[in-house]
Amino acid sequence: MKKVNRKRMNDEAGFNVWRSYSDMMSGLLLLFVLIMAVGLMEAQKNYDDKLKEQASRAQTQTELAQTQDELTQREKELQSAQEQLNQRESELEEKTTSLNSLQTTLDDQASQLKKSQQQVSQQESELEKSRQQLAVQESELQSRDDALAQSQKQLDEANALMKSQQEKIDQIVGVKADLIAALNDEFKKQQIAVNIDSQTGAIVLDANVMFDWGESTLTGDGEKVLSQVLPVYCSVLLSDQYADYVAEVIIDGYTDSSGDYLTNLALSQNRAYAVAAYLLSNSGGFLTDAQNKELAQKLTANGRSQSNLVLDQNGNEDAQASRRVEIKFRLKDEEMIAELSRIIADTKNQTAQTDAAAQTDAAAQTDAAAQTDAGAQTDAGTAG
């Protein structure tokens, strides 16, 4: 009985030892788990803090980059402002120089005025001498009468020549008027509405229809207009009745004043070339071989750029009307007409001067005293 109890006690003591050991190990394991959990939480916190710090640094770098861009922009603006300031200073210097030059000019004019006043005083003293010379000039009137007679003879000859030249001009002008009338009649006959200048015989084509904006290639509408106008115009000019009188067939291109002169010159020249090229390429359909050859010799194409702008009734530029192509002709004798017109005008002036001189001399012969007073007044007016 005692042995059984002792054995049971030994068994219970051994069980208690293992149970205590197990409890101790469980406590250590729990402590280890707690330590690990605390370490993981601390590591997670450090990791989160590091991520936040990196994000903050990235944001800071972005803001620094933006700030740098803004500083660069400000520097550019400051540089532009400095350039404008330098330009303003340069303009101010130029204006200052201009003002100095103007002041110098004013000083020169004041000096010249003083000299002029001195000259007036001198001329007044010379006026008396001129009155004395008039008495001598009266004795020369007779010799001038003889010269006037000779001049009258020459004038009569000039009048006869002028009459002959005027008749020739009238004949040439009549040919031009007949040619313009023939053009009008032919266009009416073909039922084509065009406006022919009654003085020059020129027709104006709207460049806004002929070409696209800023272009020199003919549009479909432009080719259609040329296919109607050019056959009639050239057929009349190169007909047997008028071909011998026509010296030149002219195609002029014009632009408005927008853009610079050289660009507009090239554009107007190319547009004139385009019309001339179309004419030469299609003239075989309405001209004979001889007329085609004559057309090639007489045809010219010119770019006029923005010269000869068309103005409205208020004197302002009509840009749409200024963009145009003009087709016109020149007669062989038009240069001669201009020269003859100049000769006739000179002859008329000479006639008027001769008549005025004759009247002056006649008045001088009939009233020498009155002529003397008039000459004195003329000299006084010149001196003033």
Side-chain angles (χ1 to χ4, degrees):
M1 185 69 176
K2 290 181 180 180
K3 289 181 179 179
V4 173
N5 290 333
R6 185 177 294 169
K7 183 177 180 180
R8 182 180 295 172
M9 290 177 64
N10 290 332
D11 292 336
E12 290 176 359
F15 175 77
N16 290 332
V17 170
W18 284 105
R19 186 170 63 183
S20 298
Y21 180 75
S22 177
D23 291 337
M24 181 183 69
M25 292 302 292
S26 297
L28 291 174
L29 180 60
L30 178 60
L31 179 61
F32 179 77
V33 171
L34 290 173
I35 292 173
M36 290 296 294
V38 171
L40 288 173
M41 290 177 63
E42 187 69 19
Q44 182 65 38
K45 181 180 179 182
N46 291 336
Y47 179 74
D48 292 339
D49 293 339
K50 188 174 182 180
L51 289 177
K52 290 180 180 180
E53 183 179 357
Q54 290 177 349
S56 177
R57 289 180 178 177
Q59 182 178 1
T60 301
Q61 290 178 351
T62 301
E63 293 176 352
L64 286 174
Q66 293 177 351
T67 302
Q68 184 63 34
D69 292 339
E70 292 177 356
L71 289 175
T72 302
Q73 182 65 27
R74 291 291 178 82
E75 290 178 355
K76 291 181 179 178
E77 293 176 354
L78 287 174
Q79 184 177 2
S80 176
Q82 183 62 40
E83 291 175 353
Q84 292 178 357
L85 181 59
N86 293 338
Q87 184 178 0
R88 294 288 178 83
E89 291 178 351
S90 177
E91 293 174 353
L92 181 60
E93 291 177 357
E94 292 177 357
K95 290 181 178 179
T96 301
T97 302
S98 177
L99 287 174
N100 293 336
S101 176
L102 179 60
Q103 184 60 46
T104 302
T105 302
L106 290 174
D107 294 338
D108 293 340
Q109 291 177 348
S111 177
Q112 291 175 359
L113 179 61
K114 185 177 180 180
K115 292 180 180 179
S116 298
Q117 291 173 344
Q118 294 175 352
Q119 291 174 355
V120 168
S121 300
Q122 182 179 358
Q123 288 173 352
E124 288 177 350
S125 64
E126 293 175 351
L127 182 60
E128 183 61 29
K129 295 180 181 179
S130 297
R131 291 195 180 102
Q132 296 173 0
Q133 292 174 355
L134 284 175
V136 177
Q137 292 175 354
E138 289 177 355
S139 64
E140 299 175 354
L141 288 176
Q142 186 60 45
S143 60
R144 292 185 61 183
D145 286 340
D146 297 336
L148 282 174
Q150 182 65 26
S151 297
Q152 185 63 46
K153 181 180 179 181
Q154 294 175 353
L155 182 59
D156 294 338
E157 294 174 353
N159 286 332
L161 177 61
M162 182 179 66
K163 183 177 180 181
S164 174
Q165 292 171 343
Q166 186 65 52
E167 291 174 354
K168 191 170 184 179
I169 289 176
D170 292 340
Q171 180 184 1
I172 296 171
V173 172
V175 171
K176 189 170 188 178
D178 291 342
L179 178 53
I180 293 174
L183 287 170
N184 280 310
D185 292 341
E186 189 61 27
F187 276 112
K188 289 180 181 178
K189 181 180 178 181
Q190 299 295 331
Q191 296 183 349
I192 300 174
V194 295
N195 185 17
I196 302 178
D197 190 294
S198 60
Q199 300 298 323
T200 64
I203 58 176
V204 178
L205 304 178
D206 188 356
N208 301 287
V209 176
M210 307 291 295
F211 306 94
D212 290 331
W213 174 262
E215 299 295 330
S216 59
T217 302
L218 286 168
T219 63
D221 291 339
E223 291 182 351
K224 182 178 180 181
V225 171
L226 293 180
S227 69
Q228 295 175 344
V229 172
L230 292 179
V232 177
Y233 198 81
C234 293
S235 295
V236 173
L237 290 182
L238 300 176
S239 64
D240 294 339
Q241 184 177 358
Y242 299 110
D244 292 339
Y245 292 98
V246 176
E248 190 176 14
V249 180
I250 306 167
I251 299 175
D252 287 338
Y254 295 88
T255 68
D256 58 25
S257 62
S258 61
D260 63 270
Y261 180 86
L262 292 180
T263 300
N264 286 334
L265 179 62
L267 178 60
S268 61
Q269 183 72 76
N270 291 336
R271 286 180 172 179
Y273 281 164
V275 175
Y278 180 88
L279 172 59
L280 293 176
S281 299
N282 295 275
S283 60
F286 52 86
L287 296 178
T288 65
D289 291 341
Q291 288 175 332
N292 270 318
K293 183 177 180 181
E294 190 171 6
L295 174 63
Q297 294 174 348
K298 295 179 177 181
L299 182 63
T300 60
N302 310 296
R304 302 299 186 183
S305 188
Q306 55 200 30
S307 61
N308 197 20
L309 296 172
V310 178
L311 305 180
D312 60 20
Q313 59 183 1
N314 297 322
N316 299 319
E317 175 190 359
D318 186 341
Q320 182 172 354
S322 295
R323 297 189 293 270
R324 67 195 187 278
V325 175
E326 291 186 0
I327 303 176
K328 55 188 177 181
F329 62 87
R330 179 178 60 81
L331 298 180
K332 292 181 179 179
D333 295 322
E334 284 187 340
E335 294 89 348
M336 185 178 68
I337 291 176
E339 179 63 20
L340 291 177
S341 298
R342 184 189 64 79
I343 293 174
I344 290 173
D346 291 343
T347 303
K348 289 181 178 179
N349 291 335
Q350 182 179 357
T351 301
Q353 293 173 0
T354 302
D355 291 341
Q359 293 174 1
T360 302
D361 290 340
Q365 290 175 337
T366 56
D367 193 356
Q371 178 65 28
T372 302
D373 293 339
Q377 292 175 1
T378 302
D379 290 340
T382 303

